[in-house]
Amino acid sequence: MAVLTYKCPNCNGPLTWNGQKEKFVCDYCMSSFTEAELEALAPSETKAEEVDAEMGEAIKESAGENGASAQAFNEKPAAGTAAAQGAGAASGEDAGTAKPAKMKLYSCPSCGAQVVTDDTTAATTCYYCHNPIVMMDKLGDDYTPDFVIPFAIDKKKATEIFTGWVKQQKYVPKDFYNAQQIELLSGVYFPYWVYSCDLKSDVKGTAEHVRTWDEMGMRNTETSVYDISDSGSMDINNLSRIALNKASKVLCESVMPFELDKLKKFQPGYLQGFIAETRDIQKAEIQPDIRKEVEEFAAQSVNAKISEGGFSKVNIASLDTRISNEKYQYALMPIWTVTYKDKGGKVYYFSINGQTGKTCGELPVDDGKLKSLFFKVFIPMFAALLVAFYFL
């Protein structure tokens, strides 16, 4: 399969998706193209070959990889972080002893430089010429996404959101939001399973209605018991689950939901200029949890519907839930994210929903700033107390 990049037919510059214009744009000559026009362009292509992990790491080091794509997701996460725990739980291995990921070596279609990625990365940027490239061999066969939600927020807007969010926080280390750190803010397409099904439920039980009243100085209570027997059906649509083991579940799920009514049919051009990951979690792995969630939702819905009758008490004797017409669709969804590793090795994260702008993050704390605050507050207070006790 080919490695490809789409070039502007006017100036040969790389094309990237612009969410505000909803077109593919050349940043050099400012030409723009629709999805149909992009499909008509012939992309530049090269071939890929597999390399072992040690060789891949050596090539990455020689390339001086410290840019957005490397720092955020292709480095080994520190043990104890959400990313490490997620990967370790999936593989059954401790995060500190996990085996190196399979690597692949590519030639950049623009400059011919060697580019190395791990086994789930489907789009990145050339370390040398910074042109976007898409690894089509990662998107072949069953791994081609059905849909994609394109980025609606560009890096400039994402940077404004990030810096504005950090400025509202106190006691954050300066190197968490310095120019180099902001440069690492990366737009990443994460893989998700999107689940839909038909749900039918039959319920049987009893419900009680208690009525009380006062008459002739006496308190009267009347309890009426009703048999309940009902059936209902509903459609379950767009239940989403992250489909990547190495991704931090907190990072990816904290900025949900996405507006899934705006899903677009997948086209590789949407990945240009961003990082993209392919799924490594199969639908069979998430099916038990999803079915359990659907059944719990059915039980909650049944109880809520019965409670609308104003009953004092409801006893469900049996609830038969049947799931049919299950449908799993594979979609890529946009997240802007940046990670930060402190001196102790702990990794902190910040993420922005690339469609809606919803944010979430875990902040490091600058111990120096906390100590400074302590002395600014404690010493004057201690001095005031000494003066007060002296005159008592």
Side-chain angles (χ1 to χ4, degrees):
M1 295 295 289
V3 181
L4 63 83
T5 182
Y6 286 92
K7 297 292 191 69
C8 173
N10 298 326
C11 71
N12 207 39
L15 297 176
T16 56
W17 170 255
N18 186 301
Q20 293 181 334
K21 294 183 178 180
E22 295 192 349
K23 288 186 177 182
F24 298 90
V25 175
C26 173
D27 291 332
Y28 291 89
C29 69
M30 305 311 295
S31 299
S32 60
F33 304 88
T34 64
E35 182 177 349
E37 290 171 332
L38 183 76
E39 290 179 347
L41 298 177
S44 302
E45 298 184 1
T46 60
K47 298 292 183 179
E49 59 179 301
E50 286 193 8
V51 295
D52 60 33
E54 291 184 3
M55 183 182 294
E57 290 298 329
I59 295 173
K60 288 165 77 175
E61 289 177 6
S62 69
E65 180 182 359
N66 57 9
S69 61
Q71 202 85 9
F73 292 99
N74 292 336
E75 66 176 352
K76 293 180 181 178
T81 65
Q85 292 169 356
S91 63
E93 299 176 335
D94 180 74
T97 59
K99 295 181 180 179
K102 185 188 293 183
M103 311 295 285
K104 275 199 172 182
L105 173 64
Y106 299 86
S107 293
C108 173
S110 298
C111 70
Q114 292 177 316
V115 179
V116 176
T117 70
D118 65 19
D119 203 37
T120 60
T121 301
T124 187
T125 302
C126 174
Y127 315 131
Y128 292 94
C129 68
H130 305 293
N131 276 344
I133 54 177
V134 179
M135 294 75 167
M136 291 302 295
D137 59 332
K138 303 290 183 65
L139 302 173
D141 301 327
D142 294 335
Y143 288 86
T144 300
D146 299 301
F147 301 102
V148 61
I149 294 180
F151 276 87
I153 296 174
D154 60 16
K155 185 165 186 177
K156 180 180 179 181
K157 181 62 177 177
T159 300
E160 291 175 358
I161 294 173
F162 173 66
T163 54
W165 183 78
V166 171
K167 287 179 180 178
Q168 295 176 7
Q169 318 300 319
K170 296 181 178 179
Y171 320 120
V172 180
K174 289 184 179 179
D175 53 356
F176 179 71
Y177 57 93
N178 60 22
Q180 182 180 1
Q181 184 72 2
I182 292 174
E183 184 62 27
L184 298 179
L185 186 64
S186 307
V188 184
Y189 281 108
F190 281 101
Y192 287 79
W193 283 113
V194 181
Y195 174 84
S196 301
C197 71
D198 294 333
L199 181 64
K200 294 183 179 180
S201 298
D202 294 323
V203 60
K204 292 183 179 181
T206 59
E208 297 180 4
H209 180 72
V210 178
R211 184 172 71 94
T212 60
W213 70 96
D214 294 325
E215 185 177 359
M216 298 178 65
M218 299 181 63
R219 187 72 169 176
N220 299 282
T221 301
E222 177 186 79
T223 301
S224 302
V225 180
Y226 304 90
D227 287 328
I228 297 174
S229 180
D230 198 6
S231 298
S233 62
M234 66 177 71
D235 297 331
I236 303 295
N237 293 308
N238 299 334
L239 186 61
S240 303
R241 285 291 181 275
I242 185 67
L244 181 67
N245 277 311
K246 75 177 182 181
S248 165
K249 301 298 188 292
V250 176
L251 185 152
C252 294
E253 295 177 357
S254 60
V255 293
M256 293 175 69
F258 293 90
E259 296 174 358
L260 297 180
D261 58 326
K262 296 181 180 178
L263 285 169
K264 291 181 176 290
K265 184 178 180 182
F266 176 73
Q267 213 274 58
Y270 286 117
L271 307 187
Q272 290 231 144
F274 301 98
I275 304 167
E277 299 286 352
T278 56
R279 62 178 175 85
D280 60 1
I281 296 178
Q282 307 304 322
K283 60 185 179 183
E285 298 177 56
I286 63 171
Q287 189 177 58
D289 286 339
I290 284 186
R291 286 182 173 177
K292 181 180 178 181
E293 182 173 338
V294 168
E295 290 171 355
E296 290 175 350
F297 174 74
Q300 293 172 2
S301 299
V302 166
N303 280 314
K305 183 180 178 181
I306 295 174
S307 297
E308 291 175 358
F311 297 110
S312 305
K313 185 178 180 180
V314 175
N315 298 303
I316 302 296
S318 66
L319 175 63
D320 180 25
T321 300
R322 299 181 302 282
I323 299 173
S324 61
N325 298 326
E326 291 180 291
K327 187 176 183 180
Y328 291 83
Q329 293 178 303
Y330 172 31
L332 297 180
M333 303 189 195
I335 296 177
W336 286 100
T337 185
V338 64
T339 59
Y340 171 82
K341 184 182 292 185
D342 66 13
K343 295 179 181 179
K346 182 176 179 179
V347 177
Y348 297 86
Y349 72 91
F350 174 80
S351 54
I352 305 171
N353 185 312
Q355 180 192 37
T356 67
K358 182 181 178 182
T359 63
C360 186
E362 182 182 3
L363 285 172
V365 176
D366 189 328
D367 292 336
K369 289 184 178 181
L370 284 179
K371 289 178 181 177
S372 176
L373 175 67
F374 174 78
F375 286 113
K376 286 181 180 178
V377 174
F378 176 76
I379 292 179
M381 184 180 296
F382 181 71
L385 289 173
L386 285 178
V387 172
F389 281 117
Y390 178 80
F391 288 104
L392 288 178

